[in-house]
Amino acid sequence: MSLKLAQLIQQAENLSAEEQLKLISHLAQKLSGITQVNPKLPQPDSTQAKEIPERGKSIWQIAEDFVKDIPEEELSKLPLDGAEQHDHYIYSTPKIEA
């Protein structure tokens, strides 16, 4: 395999599942004149993309999932300076003057 082909394959791995299936379908059509496409293999379509899970969630989606079941009144009790003063809230050290 050539270096360029290996690089393109690595780039394709970053595509969504649906984009990957479209790419495979496009390549199969382009190569059909050069090589015989195996008719026994399933042909990619948009319904198959739903069966393949996406790579993962962003950190913001994970955070949203984490707090989605916490009532708003409980979230409002959290300190606004929790990140800046985390040592104070975790270890009871004196607050750092800003």
Side-chain angles (χ1 to χ4, degrees), residues 1-16:
M1 180 179 347
S2 73
L3 177 61
K4 182 65 176 174
L5 181 56
Q7 290 171 340
L8 290 171
I9 290 171
Q10 283 182 327
Q11 289 175 352
E13 289 174 350
N14 294 324
L15 298 173
S16 69

Side-chain angles (χ1 to χ4, degrees), residues 54-71:
E54 290 296 321
R55 286 196 170 262
K57 295 180 179 182
S58 71
I59 189 68
W60 299 115
Q61 291 169 324
I62 293 169
E64 286 174 356
D65 288 347
F66 183 72
V67 299
K68 70 180 177 185
D69 296 328
I70 301 173

Side-chain angles (χ1 to χ4, degrees), residues 5-65:
L5 181 56
Q7 290 171 340
L8 290 171
I9 290 171
Q10 283 182 327
Q11 289 175 352
E13 289 174 350
N14 294 324
L15 298 173
S16 69
E18 187 172 356
E19 290 172 319
Q20 287 179 2
L21 289 171
K22 287 179 183 178
L23 179 59
I24 291 168
S25 178
H26 177 75
L27 287 172
Q29 289 174 354
K30 289 291 185 184
L31 295 174
S32 65
I34 300 170
T35 61
Q36 186 70 21
V37 176
N38 188 343
K40 294 180 183 178
L41 294 176
Q43 297 301 310
D45 59 36
S46 61
T47 59
Q48 287 177 330
K50 295 176 186 167
E51 298 170 10
I52 300 172
E54 290 296 321
R55 286 196 170 262
K57 295 180 179 182
S58 71
I59 189 68
W60 299 115
Q61 291 169 324
I62 293 169
E64 286 174 356
D65 288 347

